[in-house]
Short mmCIF file of all heavy atoms in Angstrom, two decimals:
data_model
loop_
_atom_site.label_atom_id
_atom_site.label_comp_id
_atom_site.label_asym_id
_atom_site.label_seq_id
_atom_site.Cartn_x
_atom_site.Cartn_y
_atom_site.Cartn_z
N MET A 1 -12.61 4.45 -65.84
CA MET A 1 -13.12 5.79 -66.13
C MET A 1 -13.07 6.67 -64.89
O MET A 1 -12.72 7.84 -64.98
CB MET A 1 -14.55 5.68 -66.69
CG MET A 1 -15.14 6.98 -67.08
SD MET A 1 -14.37 7.57 -68.57
CE MET A 1 -15.47 8.81 -69.04
N VAL A 2 -13.46 6.11 -63.74
CA VAL A 2 -13.46 6.88 -62.50
C VAL A 2 -12.05 7.30 -62.14
O VAL A 2 -11.81 8.43 -61.71
CB VAL A 2 -14.10 6.06 -61.35
CG1 VAL A 2 -13.94 6.77 -60.02
CG2 VAL A 2 -15.56 5.78 -61.63
N ARG A 3 -11.08 6.41 -62.33
CA ARG A 3 -9.68 6.73 -62.02
C ARG A 3 -9.19 7.90 -62.87
O ARG A 3 -8.52 8.80 -62.38
CB ARG A 3 -8.81 5.50 -62.25
CG ARG A 3 -7.38 5.74 -61.90
CD ARG A 3 -6.58 4.45 -62.00
NE ARG A 3 -5.18 4.76 -61.84
CZ ARG A 3 -4.22 4.33 -62.63
NH1 ARG A 3 -4.49 3.52 -63.61
NH2 ARG A 3 -2.98 4.67 -62.42
N LEU A 4 -9.54 7.90 -64.15
CA LEU A 4 -9.14 8.99 -65.04
C LEU A 4 -9.76 10.31 -64.59
O LEU A 4 -9.09 11.34 -64.56
CB LEU A 4 -9.54 8.69 -66.48
CG LEU A 4 -9.21 9.74 -67.52
CD1 LEU A 4 -7.70 9.98 -67.57
CD2 LEU A 4 -9.71 9.32 -68.88
N GLN A 5 -11.03 10.28 -64.19
CA GLN A 5 -11.69 11.49 -63.72
C GLN A 5 -11.00 12.02 -62.47
O GLN A 5 -10.83 13.23 -62.32
CB GLN A 5 -13.17 11.21 -63.42
CG GLN A 5 -14.01 11.04 -64.65
CD GLN A 5 -15.44 10.66 -64.32
OE1 GLN A 5 -15.71 10.10 -63.27
NE2 GLN A 5 -16.35 10.96 -65.22
N GLU A 6 -10.60 11.14 -61.57
CA GLU A 6 -9.92 11.56 -60.35
C GLU A 6 -8.56 12.18 -60.67
O GLU A 6 -8.16 13.15 -60.05
CB GLU A 6 -9.74 10.38 -59.40
CG GLU A 6 -11.03 9.96 -58.74
CD GLU A 6 -10.87 8.76 -57.84
OE1 GLU A 6 -9.72 8.37 -57.54
OE2 GLU A 6 -11.89 8.19 -57.44
N GLU A 7 -7.84 11.63 -61.66
CA GLU A 7 -6.54 12.15 -62.03
C GLU A 7 -6.65 13.53 -62.69
O GLU A 7 -5.76 14.36 -62.55
CB GLU A 7 -5.82 11.19 -62.98
CG GLU A 7 -5.31 9.95 -62.29
CD GLU A 7 -4.58 9.01 -63.23
OE1 GLU A 7 -4.15 9.46 -64.31
OE2 GLU A 7 -4.46 7.83 -62.88
N LEU A 8 -7.74 13.80 -63.40
CA LEU A 8 -7.92 15.07 -64.10
C LEU A 8 -8.58 16.14 -63.23
O LEU A 8 -8.62 17.30 -63.61
CB LEU A 8 -8.75 14.86 -65.37
CG LEU A 8 -8.08 14.03 -66.45
CD1 LEU A 8 -9.03 13.82 -67.64
CD2 LEU A 8 -6.79 14.65 -66.92
N ARG A 9 -9.07 15.75 -62.07
CA ARG A 9 -9.74 16.69 -61.18
C ARG A 9 -8.76 17.74 -60.66
O ARG A 9 -7.67 17.42 -60.22
CB ARG A 9 -10.36 15.96 -60.00
CG ARG A 9 -11.16 16.89 -59.10
CD ARG A 9 -11.83 16.17 -57.97
NE ARG A 9 -12.60 15.05 -58.49
CZ ARG A 9 -12.87 13.96 -57.79
NH1 ARG A 9 -12.43 13.83 -56.57
NH2 ARG A 9 -13.57 12.98 -58.31
N LYS A 10 -9.17 18.98 -60.73
CA LYS A 10 -8.33 20.07 -60.22
C LYS A 10 -8.32 20.01 -58.70
O LYS A 10 -9.34 19.72 -58.08
CB LYS A 10 -8.87 21.42 -60.65
CG LYS A 10 -8.65 21.75 -62.09
CD LYS A 10 -9.14 23.14 -62.38
CE LYS A 10 -10.62 23.15 -62.09
NZ LYS A 10 -11.36 24.23 -62.61
N PRO A 11 -7.18 20.36 -58.10
CA PRO A 11 -7.10 20.35 -56.65
C PRO A 11 -7.73 21.58 -55.99
O PRO A 11 -7.78 21.68 -54.78
CB PRO A 11 -5.59 20.30 -56.39
CG PRO A 11 -4.99 20.90 -57.60
CD PRO A 11 -5.91 20.57 -58.74
N GLY A 12 -8.21 22.53 -56.74
CA GLY A 12 -8.83 23.75 -56.21
C GLY A 12 -9.40 24.58 -57.33
O GLY A 12 -9.56 24.10 -58.44
N LEU A 13 -9.72 25.83 -57.04
CA LEU A 13 -10.26 26.74 -58.04
C LEU A 13 -9.15 27.54 -58.70
O LEU A 13 -8.19 27.93 -58.04
CB LEU A 13 -11.24 27.72 -57.38
CG LEU A 13 -12.47 27.12 -56.72
CD1 LEU A 13 -13.23 28.20 -55.96
CD2 LEU A 13 -13.37 26.48 -57.76
N THR A 14 -9.30 27.83 -59.97
CA THR A 14 -8.35 28.70 -60.67
C THR A 14 -8.69 30.15 -60.36
O THR A 14 -9.79 30.46 -59.86
CB THR A 14 -8.41 28.49 -62.19
OG1 THR A 14 -9.70 28.90 -62.66
CG2 THR A 14 -8.14 27.05 -62.57
N THR A 15 -7.77 31.04 -60.67
CA THR A 15 -8.03 32.46 -60.45
C THR A 15 -9.22 32.93 -61.28
O THR A 15 -10.02 33.74 -60.82
CB THR A 15 -6.79 33.32 -60.78
OG1 THR A 15 -6.33 33.00 -62.08
CG2 THR A 15 -5.68 33.09 -59.78
N LYS A 16 -9.36 32.39 -62.47
CA LYS A 16 -10.49 32.75 -63.33
C LYS A 16 -11.82 32.31 -62.71
O LYS A 16 -12.81 33.05 -62.73
CB LYS A 16 -10.31 32.12 -64.71
CG LYS A 16 -11.36 32.51 -65.71
CD LYS A 16 -11.07 31.92 -67.07
CE LYS A 16 -12.12 32.30 -68.08
NZ LYS A 16 -11.84 31.74 -69.41
N GLU A 17 -11.85 31.12 -62.14
CA GLU A 17 -13.07 30.62 -61.52
C GLU A 17 -13.45 31.44 -60.28
O GLU A 17 -14.62 31.75 -60.06
CB GLU A 17 -12.91 29.14 -61.14
CG GLU A 17 -12.82 28.23 -62.33
CD GLU A 17 -12.38 26.82 -61.99
OE1 GLU A 17 -11.69 26.62 -60.97
OE2 GLU A 17 -12.72 25.91 -62.77
N VAL A 18 -12.44 31.80 -59.49
CA VAL A 18 -12.70 32.62 -58.30
C VAL A 18 -13.22 33.99 -58.71
O VAL A 18 -14.19 34.50 -58.14
CB VAL A 18 -11.43 32.77 -57.43
CG1 VAL A 18 -11.64 33.77 -56.32
CG2 VAL A 18 -11.01 31.42 -56.87
N ALA A 19 -12.60 34.59 -59.72
CA ALA A 19 -13.04 35.90 -60.20
C ALA A 19 -14.49 35.85 -60.67
O ALA A 19 -15.28 36.74 -60.35
CB ALA A 19 -12.13 36.37 -61.33
N LYS A 20 -14.84 34.81 -61.38
CA LYS A 20 -16.21 34.67 -61.88
C LYS A 20 -17.20 34.53 -60.72
O LYS A 20 -18.25 35.16 -60.71
CB LYS A 20 -16.31 33.47 -62.82
CG LYS A 20 -17.66 33.31 -63.46
CD LYS A 20 -17.67 32.19 -64.45
CE LYS A 20 -19.05 32.05 -65.08
NZ LYS A 20 -19.11 30.96 -66.04
N GLN A 21 -16.85 33.71 -59.72
CA GLN A 21 -17.74 33.51 -58.58
C GLN A 21 -17.92 34.78 -57.76
O GLN A 21 -19.00 35.04 -57.24
CB GLN A 21 -17.20 32.40 -57.68
CG GLN A 21 -17.40 31.02 -58.24
CD GLN A 21 -17.01 29.93 -57.27
OE1 GLN A 21 -16.70 30.17 -56.11
NE2 GLN A 21 -17.00 28.70 -57.76
N LEU A 22 -16.87 35.58 -57.67
CA LEU A 22 -16.94 36.82 -56.88
C LEU A 22 -17.42 38.01 -57.69
O LEU A 22 -17.68 39.08 -57.14
CB LEU A 22 -15.57 37.12 -56.26
CG LEU A 22 -15.05 36.11 -55.25
CD1 LEU A 22 -13.67 36.49 -54.77
CD2 LEU A 22 -16.02 35.98 -54.07
N GLY A 23 -17.48 37.85 -59.02
CA GLY A 23 -17.93 38.94 -59.88
C GLY A 23 -16.91 40.06 -60.00
O GLY A 23 -17.29 41.24 -60.12
N ILE A 24 -15.62 39.70 -59.94
CA ILE A 24 -14.55 40.69 -60.10
C ILE A 24 -13.58 40.18 -61.16
O ILE A 24 -13.67 39.04 -61.60
CB ILE A 24 -13.82 40.98 -58.77
CG1 ILE A 24 -13.25 39.69 -58.16
CG2 ILE A 24 -14.75 41.66 -57.79
CD1 ILE A 24 -12.51 39.90 -56.86
N SER A 25 -12.63 41.02 -61.55
CA SER A 25 -11.71 40.65 -62.62
C SER A 25 -10.58 39.75 -62.12
O SER A 25 -10.26 39.73 -60.92
CB SER A 25 -11.11 41.90 -63.26
OG SER A 25 -10.19 42.50 -62.36
N VAL A 26 -9.97 39.04 -63.03
CA VAL A 26 -8.81 38.21 -62.72
C VAL A 26 -7.66 39.09 -62.25
O VAL A 26 -6.90 38.71 -61.35
CB VAL A 26 -8.39 37.36 -63.95
CG1 VAL A 26 -7.11 36.60 -63.68
CG2 VAL A 26 -9.50 36.39 -64.32
N THR A 27 -7.56 40.30 -62.80
CA THR A 27 -6.53 41.24 -62.38
C THR A 27 -6.66 41.56 -60.89
O THR A 27 -5.68 41.60 -60.15
CB THR A 27 -6.61 42.53 -63.22
OG1 THR A 27 -6.49 42.20 -64.60
CG2 THR A 27 -5.52 43.52 -62.81
N THR A 28 -7.89 41.76 -60.44
CA THR A 28 -8.14 42.04 -59.03
C THR A 28 -7.77 40.84 -58.17
O THR A 28 -7.16 40.98 -57.11
CB THR A 28 -9.60 42.44 -58.80
OG1 THR A 28 -9.90 43.59 -59.61
CG2 THR A 28 -9.89 42.75 -57.35
N ILE A 29 -8.11 39.65 -58.63
CA ILE A 29 -7.74 38.43 -57.90
C ILE A 29 -6.23 38.34 -57.78
O ILE A 29 -5.70 38.06 -56.70
CB ILE A 29 -8.30 37.17 -58.61
CG1 ILE A 29 -9.82 37.15 -58.56
CG2 ILE A 29 -7.71 35.90 -58.01
CD1 ILE A 29 -10.41 37.04 -57.18
N ASN A 30 -5.51 38.60 -58.86
CA ASN A 30 -4.04 38.55 -58.82
C ASN A 30 -3.48 39.60 -57.85
O ASN A 30 -2.51 39.34 -57.15
CB ASN A 30 -3.45 38.73 -60.22
CG ASN A 30 -3.68 37.51 -61.08
OD1 ASN A 30 -3.72 36.38 -60.59
ND2 ASN A 30 -3.85 37.72 -62.37
N LYS A 31 -4.11 40.76 -57.81
CA LYS A 31 -3.70 41.81 -56.87
C LYS A 31 -3.89 41.33 -55.43
O LYS A 31 -3.02 41.50 -54.58
CB LYS A 31 -4.52 43.07 -57.13
CG LYS A 31 -4.21 44.22 -56.23
CD LYS A 31 -5.04 45.43 -56.64
CE LYS A 31 -5.72 46.01 -55.43
NZ LYS A 31 -6.60 47.13 -55.76
N TYR A 32 -5.03 40.70 -55.15
CA TYR A 32 -5.29 40.17 -53.82
C TYR A 32 -4.29 39.08 -53.44
O TYR A 32 -3.87 38.98 -52.28
CB TYR A 32 -6.71 39.60 -53.73
CG TYR A 32 -7.81 40.64 -53.77
CD1 TYR A 32 -9.12 40.27 -53.99
CD2 TYR A 32 -7.55 42.00 -53.59
CE1 TYR A 32 -10.14 41.19 -54.02
CE2 TYR A 32 -8.57 42.94 -53.63
CZ TYR A 32 -9.86 42.53 -53.85
OH TYR A 32 -10.87 43.45 -53.88
N ILE A 33 -3.90 38.26 -54.42
CA ILE A 33 -2.90 37.21 -54.16
C ILE A 33 -1.57 37.84 -53.79
O ILE A 33 -0.93 37.44 -52.81
CB ILE A 33 -2.76 36.28 -55.38
CG1 ILE A 33 -4.04 35.44 -55.55
CG2 ILE A 33 -1.53 35.38 -55.24
CD1 ILE A 33 -4.11 34.69 -56.86
N LYS A 34 -1.15 38.85 -54.56
CA LYS A 34 0.12 39.53 -54.28
C LYS A 34 0.11 40.22 -52.92
O LYS A 34 1.14 40.29 -52.25
CB LYS A 34 0.44 40.54 -55.38
CG LYS A 34 0.89 39.90 -56.66
CD LYS A 34 1.22 40.93 -57.71
CE LYS A 34 1.61 40.23 -59.00
NZ LYS A 34 1.93 41.19 -60.06
N GLN A 35 -1.04 40.72 -52.51
CA GLN A 35 -1.17 41.38 -51.21
C GLN A 35 -1.43 40.38 -50.09
O GLN A 35 -1.68 40.77 -48.96
CB GLN A 35 -2.31 42.41 -51.26
CG GLN A 35 -2.03 43.57 -52.18
CD GLN A 35 -3.23 44.52 -52.30
OE1 GLN A 35 -4.34 44.24 -51.85
NE2 GLN A 35 -2.99 45.65 -52.93
N GLU A 36 -1.42 39.09 -50.43
CA GLU A 36 -1.66 37.99 -49.49
C GLU A 36 -3.03 38.08 -48.81
O GLU A 36 -3.20 37.70 -47.66
CB GLU A 36 -0.53 37.91 -48.47
CG GLU A 36 0.81 37.62 -49.12
CD GLU A 36 1.95 37.52 -48.13
OE1 GLU A 36 1.74 37.73 -46.91
OE2 GLU A 36 3.06 37.21 -48.56
N MET A 37 -4.01 38.59 -49.56
CA MET A 37 -5.38 38.67 -49.05
C MET A 37 -6.17 37.40 -49.37
O MET A 37 -7.22 37.16 -48.79
CB MET A 37 -6.09 39.88 -49.65
CG MET A 37 -5.48 41.21 -49.20
SD MET A 37 -6.17 42.64 -50.05
CE MET A 37 -7.86 42.61 -49.55
N LEU A 38 -5.65 36.60 -50.30
CA LEU A 38 -6.27 35.32 -50.66
C LEU A 38 -5.24 34.21 -50.51
O LEU A 38 -4.11 34.35 -50.98
CB LEU A 38 -6.76 35.33 -52.12
CG LEU A 38 -8.00 36.11 -52.44
CD1 LEU A 38 -8.26 36.09 -53.94
CD2 LEU A 38 -9.21 35.55 -51.72
N PRO A 39 -5.62 33.11 -49.86
CA PRO A 39 -4.68 31.99 -49.76
C PRO A 39 -4.61 31.24 -51.09
O PRO A 39 -5.64 30.96 -51.72
CB PRO A 39 -5.30 31.11 -48.67
CG PRO A 39 -6.75 31.43 -48.71
CD PRO A 39 -6.86 32.87 -49.15
N VAL A 40 -3.40 30.97 -51.56
CA VAL A 40 -3.22 30.25 -52.81
C VAL A 40 -2.07 29.27 -52.68
O VAL A 40 -1.25 29.37 -51.78
CB VAL A 40 -2.92 31.19 -54.01
CG1 VAL A 40 -4.06 32.13 -54.27
CG2 VAL A 40 -1.64 31.93 -53.81
N PHE A 41 -2.02 28.33 -53.60
CA PHE A 41 -0.86 27.47 -53.76
C PHE A 41 -0.67 27.26 -55.25
O PHE A 41 -1.60 27.37 -56.04
CB PHE A 41 -1.00 26.14 -53.01
CG PHE A 41 -2.16 25.28 -53.45
CD1 PHE A 41 -1.99 24.29 -54.40
CD2 PHE A 41 -3.42 25.47 -52.90
CE1 PHE A 41 -3.06 23.50 -54.80
CE2 PHE A 41 -4.49 24.68 -53.30
CZ PHE A 41 -4.32 23.68 -54.25
N GLN A 42 0.55 27.02 -55.63
CA GLN A 42 0.87 26.83 -57.03
C GLN A 42 1.10 25.34 -57.26
O GLN A 42 1.84 24.70 -56.53
CB GLN A 42 2.10 27.62 -57.42
CG GLN A 42 2.31 27.74 -58.90
CD GLN A 42 3.39 28.75 -59.26
OE1 GLN A 42 4.05 29.29 -58.38
NE2 GLN A 42 3.55 29.01 -60.53
N GLU A 43 0.45 24.82 -58.28
CA GLU A 43 0.55 23.41 -58.59
C GLU A 43 0.41 23.21 -60.10
O GLU A 43 -0.26 23.98 -60.77
CB GLU A 43 -0.55 22.63 -57.86
CG GLU A 43 -0.41 21.13 -57.97
CD GLU A 43 -1.35 20.42 -57.03
OE1 GLU A 43 -1.31 20.68 -55.82
OE2 GLU A 43 -2.13 19.60 -57.54
N GLU A 44 1.04 22.18 -60.59
CA GLU A 44 0.92 21.86 -62.02
C GLU A 44 -0.41 21.16 -62.25
O GLU A 44 -0.78 20.23 -61.54
CB GLU A 44 2.06 20.97 -62.46
CG GLU A 44 2.06 20.73 -63.97
CD GLU A 44 3.27 19.94 -64.44
OE1 GLU A 44 4.37 20.23 -63.98
OE2 GLU A 44 3.06 19.04 -65.26
N TYR A 45 -1.15 21.65 -63.23
CA TYR A 45 -2.42 21.05 -63.64
C TYR A 45 -2.42 20.98 -65.15
O TYR A 45 -2.31 22.00 -65.82
CB TYR A 45 -3.59 21.89 -63.12
CG TYR A 45 -4.93 21.41 -63.63
CD1 TYR A 45 -5.45 20.19 -63.22
CD2 TYR A 45 -5.66 22.17 -64.52
CE1 TYR A 45 -6.66 19.74 -63.70
CE2 TYR A 45 -6.89 21.73 -65.00
CZ TYR A 45 -7.38 20.53 -64.58
OH TYR A 45 -8.58 20.07 -65.06
N ARG A 46 -2.51 19.77 -65.65
CA ARG A 46 -2.51 19.51 -67.09
C ARG A 46 -1.29 20.14 -67.78
O ARG A 46 -1.39 20.74 -68.84
CB ARG A 46 -3.79 19.99 -67.74
CG ARG A 46 -5.00 19.23 -67.29
CD ARG A 46 -6.22 19.71 -68.00
NE ARG A 46 -7.10 18.58 -68.28
CZ ARG A 46 -8.25 18.67 -68.87
NH1 ARG A 46 -8.70 19.85 -69.26
NH2 ARG A 46 -8.98 17.61 -69.08
N GLY A 47 -0.14 20.05 -67.10
CA GLY A 47 1.11 20.51 -67.68
C GLY A 47 1.38 22.01 -67.57
O GLY A 47 2.35 22.51 -68.11
N ILE A 48 0.50 22.73 -66.86
CA ILE A 48 0.66 24.18 -66.71
C ILE A 48 0.69 24.50 -65.21
O ILE A 48 -0.12 24.00 -64.44
CB ILE A 48 -0.53 24.93 -67.36
CG1 ILE A 48 -0.61 24.61 -68.84
CG2 ILE A 48 -0.42 26.43 -67.13
CD1 ILE A 48 -1.86 25.13 -69.52
N ASN A 49 1.65 25.35 -64.81
CA ASN A 49 1.67 25.81 -63.41
C ASN A 49 0.53 26.79 -63.20
O ASN A 49 0.42 27.78 -63.91
CB ASN A 49 3.00 26.47 -63.08
CG ASN A 49 4.06 25.46 -62.75
OD1 ASN A 49 3.77 24.38 -62.27
ND2 ASN A 49 5.31 25.82 -62.98
N CYS A 50 -0.32 26.50 -62.22
CA CYS A 50 -1.49 27.32 -61.95
C CYS A 50 -1.53 27.73 -60.49
O CYS A 50 -1.11 26.97 -59.62
CB CYS A 50 -2.78 26.54 -62.24
SG CYS A 50 -2.98 26.01 -63.93
N PHE A 51 -2.07 28.90 -60.21
CA PHE A 51 -2.40 29.29 -58.85
C PHE A 51 -3.79 28.75 -58.57
O PHE A 51 -4.73 28.97 -59.32
CB PHE A 51 -2.41 30.81 -58.68
CG PHE A 51 -1.05 31.43 -58.65
CD1 PHE A 51 -0.61 32.22 -59.68
CD2 PHE A 51 -0.22 31.22 -57.56
CE1 PHE A 51 0.64 32.80 -59.65
CE2 PHE A 51 1.03 31.80 -57.52
CZ PHE A 51 1.47 32.58 -58.57
N LEU A 52 -3.92 28.03 -57.48
CA LEU A 52 -5.21 27.44 -57.10
C LEU A 52 -5.54 27.82 -55.68
O LEU A 52 -4.70 28.13 -54.89
CB LEU A 52 -5.15 25.92 -57.24
CG LEU A 52 -4.77 25.40 -58.64
CD1 LEU A 52 -4.36 23.95 -58.58
CD2 LEU A 52 -5.94 25.57 -59.58
#
C-alpha cells in the first residue's frame, strides 16, 4: 500500500493548487509562468502532462 501511495504522489503542486493557495486565478498563474516569474517543470502525472 505504501509503495502505491509513493507512486501516485505528485512531484509538486499543480497550477490550480498554487492559484488556490495564493488566492489568484489559474490564468494569472499561467501568465506568471510565461513571464518566467514562477519556476515550473513539466512532468507526466497520471498520464497527463502537467506543469508542476
